[in-house]
Amino acid sequence: RKKNEERGHQLYKMSNKILKHSKSKKEKEEAYQLLTKAADMGHLKAMEKLAAALLFGYHGPQNITAAVTLYETLAEKGSHKGQTALGFMFSYGIGMEYNQAKALVYYTFGSLGGNLIAQMILGYRYWVGINVPRNCEAALTNYRKVAYFSKQSTLEKVRLMEKSENLSSNNDFLDWDVHQYYKFLAERGDTQIQVMYKAKILFSGKNVDFWGQDTFYYFLKAAKAGNTHGMAFLGKVHITFHEINLVNCNSQGLDNAFKYFHIAAEKGLADAQFQLGVMYHSGSGVKKDYKLAFKYFYLASQNGQPIAVYYLAQMYAAGTGVFRSCQNAVELYRSVCELGSWSEKFLTAYFAYQDGNIDSSLIQYALLAEMGYEVAQSNSAYILESEQVKILSNDQMYPLALLLWNRAAAQGNAFARVKTGDYHFYGYGTKRDYVTAAIHYSLAVDHHIAQAMFNLAYMYEHGLGIPKDIHLAKRWYDLAAQTSPDASIPVFLARMKLEVKLLFSEMQLFKFTSSQKMSKLDTMLRPHWDLFVLVVIVILLVLLIRNR
């Protein structure tokens, strides 16, 4: 048994190495064969990786049945990845029954095991109230755990440009050439390159003499030329010198750092604003001041500094320097969580969709949708209603699509709000309900959506779910045309039909016609009103041309 475990571990390491460094399809297939052998030997990580490949269709055909079998085995062994995956499949009815209660149980076990995806899913469910009572504090607890590691992931992403992807040691020669080229441009006086050159050395981790005499020379020269990035890096260098005791006076390094950060922050540099926030928050080199820390974190977050958002969330959660607000803390933590490494699935899902792997694309988008990404919810619903999905039965697609459109609409997607109204209007995935449809269209109108205005006008014209009101119908038709030029022709036809009906009802000739006959005429023409109006228009045009 021990030999099997060791052999399985070796096979797993070999497959990982091939997958990391290889780009050819054949080599990746060989890697997955090794992974399959390792999984057969009971290697837990190999089983997890193979199950994910089978579920998402990585580097090969999907096999939902095999994925379910592996995940059930993993869950029994206490794997939090297996438990989370089963929760996801129960939530959508993929490969097993649709059961939200079981999904919640598995997500809870996965979360207790430390699975970040399960924690993010639970955070979203408690925040919105999906199969659990809405609970801001529970959402905060889950999002805070995920945000800490997402914050670390964000730091890693910021420095991705410093890391080579699939490069061998031979590329050190290329790095040296780039290093020499940057140095050449820096010496010629290009302040932007001066900053990039030394910043590259600062974060590269290479064996380059960073502590040479020209370090301050480049950053200082860039700072004197007004380069805010140069000032910020100069501030970081002073802090680094202070931390490793390269300055004689304990406060000198921090004082200089504060000076350069402050100048760069006043000029709007997000990183400098963030660094000032950190100094005020921790009391490094300045008197601790949470209100000023909050101010600079807020400015940095508005200028796109993601880690500043994490600090703001912490301050709102603890009530430090600001009134405690669970809602604000959750919203900020959530925005940090969405920067996690799992968001890379957006790319793989999109590429799968482009390549025609609809089922693979759907499952990746669906997992992101379960985690609360609005874009993924819309994309999943769009794929479901395209009726190209093979892993779900036909009677599952429209109810799931409606569920996802509804979740996306609740997050402010106006197009999703219109789609939700359409599903209730036509009875897709639910019973036909004109009242609910009218409510959704009315909500979408607040976002200035022409389609919602047109639909609402039609419902006012015919009294569907709302009292019949011709004047309001005209008003909404006109607003739709004003909001979008694309609505002009449909609005013109609808208005013509409306005017013809009004004309018929007001003409003396039709006074003797009973209301019952008029109702029958309206019922008969309603499905073909656009054709009827077109015929009337053509006749009028012919008469005009002949008279002319």
Side-chain angles (χ1 to χ4, degrees):
R1 185 181 174 182
K2 191 175 181 181
K3 285 182 179 179
N4 265 357
E5 287 177 358
E6 287 177 358
R7 179 60 180 160
H9 185 64
Q10 288 175 356
L11 290 171
Y12 173 72
K13 285 176 70 177
M14 286 169 62
S15 67
N16 263 355
K17 190 176 180 180
I18 295 170
L19 288 171
K20 187 177 180 181
H21 297 287
S22 172
K23 289 186 177 179
S24 75
K25 188 177 179 181
K26 187 178 179 181
E27 288 181 340
K28 285 182 178 179
E29 286 175 356
E30 289 175 2
Y32 273 100
Q33 286 174 5
L34 294 173
L35 198 65
T36 304
K37 289 179 182 178
D40 290 340
M41 292 176 179
H43 192 274
L44 196 69
K45 289 185 178 179
M47 291 171 70
E48 289 173 345
K49 196 158 190 172
L50 182 62
L54 292 168
L55 177 63
F56 295 109
Y58 295 149
H59 312 298
Q62 277 181 296
N63 190 332
I64 304 297
T65 306
V68 168
T69 304
L70 270 173
Y71 278 130
E72 285 177 340
T73 305
L74 285 165
E76 287 174 6
K77 292 186 175 190
S79 165
H80 58 77
K81 287 186 179 179
Q83 292 160 346
T84 302
L86 286 179
F88 165 65
M89 287 189 278
F90 271 118
S91 181
Y92 283 89
I94 297 171
M96 49 186 60
E97 63 173 322
Y98 175 83
N99 191 319
Q100 288 292 341
K102 286 185 179 180
L104 185 62
V105 170
Y106 277 110
Y107 284 146
T108 304
F109 278 121
S111 172
L112 292 172
N115 189 278
L116 297 178
I117 290 176
Q119 289 168 353
M120 191 166 169
I121 290 170
L122 285 179
Y124 176 64
R125 288 192 166 219
Y126 278 112
W127 178 236
V128 179
I130 299 173
N131 299 110
V132 290
R134 290 191 68 174
N135 188 328
C136 185
E137 294 299 331
L140 176 63
T141 301
N142 282 286
Y143 275 128
R144 179 161 41 200
K145 293 175 185 175
V146 182
Y148 176 78
F149 292 99
S150 300
K151 173 180 71 75
Q152 300 294 354
S153 177
T154 302
L155 284 169
E156 188 69 12
K157 284 185 178 180
V158 170
R159 291 187 281 188
L160 278 178
M161 61 180 182
E162 319 302 340
K163 293 190 174 183
S164 303
E165 183 179 352
N166 298 331
L167 293 180
S168 66
S169 58
N170 294 331
N171 284 280
D172 286 341
F173 293 106
L174 177 62
D175 287 344
W176 180 251
D177 288 338
V178 172
H179 168 77
Q180 292 297 317
Y181 180 63
Y182 276 162
K183 186 176 181 181
F184 167 72
L185 291 177
E187 288 172 350
R188 290 188 63 183
D190 189 321
T191 56
Q192 190 67 29
I193 292 296
Q194 288 166 359
V195 174
M196 289 174 63
Y197 169 60
K198 274 300 172 184
K200 182 175 173 65
I201 296 171
L202 177 62
F203 295 113
S204 65
K206 300 284 183 182
N207 255 342
V208 184
D209 181 20
F210 169 69
W211 304 112
Q213 294 180 355
D214 63 342
T215 300
F216 272 108
Y217 168 74
Y218 284 121
F219 283 150
L220 192 58
K221 192 171 181 180
K224 285 181 178 178
N227 186 293
T228 53
H229 293 279
M231 295 174 194
F233 277 116
L234 203 55
K236 287 180 181 178
V237 170
H238 276 295
I239 287 180
T240 306
F241 282 177
H242 173 79
E243 288 174 350
I244 60 176
N245 296 318
L246 285 181
V247 287
N248 297 325
C249 177
N250 287 334
S251 63
Q252 184 182 348
L254 293 177
D255 289 343
N256 288 331
F258 179 82
K259 179 181 75 174
Y260 285 113
F261 285 146
H262 193 269
I263 296 169
E266 290 300 310
K267 292 188 177 184
L269 186 68
D271 194 44
Q273 292 165 342
F274 167 70
Q275 295 293 345
L276 276 183
V278 171
M279 293 184 81
Y280 277 118
H281 190 268
S282 61
S284 301
V286 291
K287 185 180 178 181
K288 189 178 286 188
D289 190 326
Y290 288 126
K291 288 187 177 179
L292 279 173
F294 181 86
K295 171 192 169 183
Y296 283 110
F297 284 143
Y298 178 78
L299 289 172
S301 70
Q302 294 300 297
N303 288 320
Q305 224 293 348
I307 311 173
V309 179
Y310 176 79
Y311 275 90
L312 282 177
Q314 282 190 310
M315 295 182 82
Y316 271 118
T320 308
V322 66
F323 286 114
R324 187 180 187 277
S325 171
C326 178
Q327 181 173 342
N328 288 346
V330 167
E331 288 174 352
L332 290 166
Y333 274 134
R334 187 180 168 195
S335 66
V336 175
C337 293
E338 291 186 350
L339 297 172
S341 58
W342 40 79
S343 61
E344 292 169 5
K345 281 197 189 307
F346 273 107
L347 279 177
T348 54
Y350 174 73
F351 290 140
Y353 184 79
Q354 289 291 91
D355 292 338
N357 299 325
I358 304 300
D359 290 335
S360 173
S361 178
L362 172 65
I363 287 189
Q364 292 178 72
Y365 277 132
L367 178 60
L368 292 166
E370 192 76 351
M371 295 168 74
Y373 289 91
E374 179 271 311
V375 174
Q377 291 167 348
S378 301
N379 289 351
S380 301
Y382 176 79
I383 292 172
L384 282 166
E385 70 176 21
S386 70
E387 298 183 350
Q388 298 180 55
V389 179
K390 296 175 183 175
I391 57 173
L392 294 170
S393 61
N394 291 333
D395 59 344
Q396 285 179 285
M397 292 186 196
Y398 279 104
L400 274 176
L402 174 59
L403 178 74
L404 290 162
W405 283 129
N406 202 28
R407 288 182 185 176
Q411 297 198 66
N413 186 320
F415 178 76
R417 182 67 70 186
V418 175
K419 293 293 290 185
T420 308
D422 290 344
Y423 273 55
H424 286 284
F425 186 91
Y426 295 107
Y428 295 154
T430 185
K431 290 181 179 179
R432 182 173 289 184
D433 187 342
Y434 291 133
V435 175
T436 305
I439 290 169
H440 284 291
Y441 291 144
S442 299
L443 290 169
V445 159
D446 295 337
H447 296 275
H448 308 289
I449 304 298
Q451 182 66 58
M453 296 174 184
F454 185 92
N455 294 353
L456 205 55
Y458 183 84
M459 296 183 81
Y460 271 116
E461 181 185 348
H462 297 285
L464 300 173
I466 45 180
K468 188 172 182 178
D469 192 322
I470 299 300
H471 297 291
L472 274 177
K474 284 182 181 180
R475 180 63 182 149
W476 283 117
Y477 279 134
D478 291 340
L479 283 172
Q482 290 170 18
T483 303
S484 172
D486 294 337
S488 299
I489 294 175
V491 166
F492 173 75
L493 293 173
R495 283 296 306 266
M496 284 295 296
K497 174 237 182 180
L498 194 57
E499 295 299 337
V500 168
K501 279 179 65 180
L502 285 174
L503 182 65
F504 282 175
S505 64
E506 291 173 3
M507 284 174 61
Q508 289 292 330
L509 182 65
F510 288 87
K511 275 189 176 180
F512 65 89
T513 306
S514 66
S515 59
Q516 186 179 0
K517 288 182 179 179
M518 193 66 192
S519 176
K520 285 181 180 178
L521 179 66
D522 182 60
T523 305
M524 182 180 68
L525 291 176
R526 185 180 296 170
H528 312 290
W529 63 266
D530 49 351
L531 294 175
F532 176 74
V533 171
L534 279 172
V535 170
V536 172
I537 292 170
V538 170
I539 293 170
L540 290 173
L541 285 172
V542 170
L543 290 172
L544 281 170
I545 292 167
R546 285 187 65 184
N547 290 335
R548 189 174 178 184

